[in-house]
Amino acid sequence: MKIQPFLWLILFCSSLVQAADLPRDEPVPGGVAVVRLSTLAHSAPQVYFNGQRVLVTQEGDHWDAVVGIPLSEKPGNHRLDAKEDGVEREYSFSVRPKEYRTEYISLKDRNMVDPTPAEMARIHNDQTQISSAFSTWTQRNVSDLWLNLPVHGRIGSNFGLRRVFNGEPRQPHSGLDIVAPRGTPVYAAADGTVIQVGNYFFNGNAVIIDHGQGMITMYDHLSRVDVTNGESVRRGQRIGAVGMTGRVTGPHLHWTVSLNDTPVDPALFLAPRRRPRYYRRYRRR
């Protein structure tokens, strides 16, 4: 049967919508690998990378594993362990190298670089709470992995930057900084459940949202918080406001996206027109 031109257009647009459900496949340290799984599994496969459960989503007649790659991961071939309808299988994918630039930051508050013993105890407790939240696994179907930019502003510090505070090297930048005036509304990037609200030494006032299957977002340095633990939120719902609490040099939102307990580049989850320029430049190389 001959398909009319307008039907071809509908089919083409449908394929674009389906493809848009997944983040950009960028298998680099700090990036995301989208790995096609079996076309035969009737139920969602259980997939693990480095011992961590991995998000899976159904795409047409097959399943995809959406894998967060740690910034510390070495380039080369890597393995996924899967169980599909009770049968164990292995999948491989390749990680490409990527270099991140260095950012030098001066802080007037010396304690933010060299905390006191009492502050170190608080920091350790903060990290325990935050790590627990990022390791959350909720078995929930996640079909649309595009995220909304949570605040209107300009991109400040990009993900993955090697950071030097007052001349002392620190951990790479684990999120995306969006600069905006104090009080600018901050919105949930997608539907989810608030699993932690707190005030932390480095992160300031923060909200952590569970979107299902190990996909977690965190919103830092807020001047106010408008949600509570356990609250269900919708994409685009106001959850707080931009501030400069915690370790900051000015008002901005630090936005973290985590997959399988691994911070990854949030820009990979934004629609192409919303991705920062640094990401578009990188893609053209």
Side-chain angles (χ1 to χ4, degrees):
M1 181 181 70
K2 184 177 180 180
I3 299 179
Q4 297 300 318
F6 76 94
L7 290 179
W8 281 116
L9 179 61
I10 292 174
L11 291 172
F12 175 71
C13 291
S14 297
S15 68
L16 288 180
V17 171
Q18 185 180 56
D21 289 342
L22 294 174
R24 175 67 63 182
D25 180 27
E26 196 67 48
V28 299
V32 173
V34 179
V35 181
R36 175 169 289 197
L37 304 176
S38 172
T39 60
L40 303 177
H42 295 93
S43 57
Q46 293 184 21
V47 181
Y48 294 84
F49 177 56
N50 292 341
Q52 296 289 338
R53 186 85 177 266
V54 170
L55 185 153
V56 296
T57 184
Q58 190 168 17
E59 286 290 304
D61 65 347
H62 69 274
W63 297 87
D64 285 325
V66 184
V67 187
I69 305 171
L71 276 167
S72 59
E73 202 66 67
K74 301 295 184 184
N77 292 325
H78 294 272
R79 186 186 77 189
L80 296 179
D81 297 308
K83 182 176 288 187
E84 301 174 342
D85 293 337
V87 178
E88 294 184 356
R89 298 190 61 180
E90 291 183 1
Y91 293 89
S92 63
F93 67 98
S94 181
V95 174
R96 304 193 305 265
K98 180 177 180 179
E99 291 293 326
Y100 293 91
R101 68 180 182 86
T102 300
E103 181 180 47
Y104 297 88
I105 298 174
S106 296
L107 294 173
K108 294 180 180 179
D109 187 350
R110 186 67 191 177
N111 282 5
M112 286 295 175
V113 181
D114 294 311
T116 66
E119 289 167 338
M120 284 302 301
R122 178 189 173 188
I123 291 167
H124 177 74
N125 184 61
D126 290 351
Q127 290 173 340
T128 299
Q129 292 182 43
I130 294 169
S131 295
S132 176
F134 279 129
S135 64
T136 298
W137 179 270
T138 304
Q139 190 57 48
R140 177 190 301 166
N141 181 43
V142 184
S143 57
D144 184 358
L145 297 179
W146 281 135
L147 297 177
N148 290 7
L149 200 64
V151 67
H152 298 293
R154 66 174 179 83
I155 301 302
S157 295
N158 303 321
F159 174 86
L161 293 174
R162 294 177 299 224
R163 312 193 89 179
V164 179
F165 289 100
N166 294 3
E168 299 183 19
R170 289 296 186 265
Q171 294 294 321
H173 195 221
S174 62
L176 188 66
D177 284 353
I178 307 169
V179 179
R182 188 178 187 278
T184 303
V186 174
Y187 305 99
D191 296 352
T193 301
V194 177
I195 55 173
Q196 197 166 128
V197 172
N199 177 270
Y200 308 106
F201 185 79
F202 289 131
N203 307 78
N205 297 325
V207 172
I208 303 179
I209 299 177
D210 171 22
H211 304 284
Q213 293 196 58
M215 184 174 181
I216 311 289
T217 57
M218 184 173 183
Y219 311 76
D220 293 348
H221 310 307
L222 303 175
S223 60
R224 58 175 286 172
V225 172
D226 297 322
V227 290
T228 58
N229 279 326
E231 182 176 343
S232 294
V233 295
R234 305 292 294 177
R235 180 187 299 268
Q237 178 180 331
R238 178 169 175 157
I239 60 173
V242 171
M244 50 184 302
T245 55
R247 183 165 69 181
V248 295
T249 56
H252 72 280
L253 175 73
H254 175 93
W255 180 39
T256 300
V257 176
S258 178
L259 284 177
N260 46 271
D261 202 9
T262 300
V264 293
D265 190 350
L268 299 173
F269 296 81
L270 300 174
R273 65 186 179 84
R274 302 305 303 271
R275 292 188 192 128
R277 291 181 181 178
Y278 81 91
Y279 177 79
R280 295 195 291 268
R281 289 198 301 270
Y282 178 74
R283 288 291 298 170
R284 288 200 295 267
R285 291 180 185 175

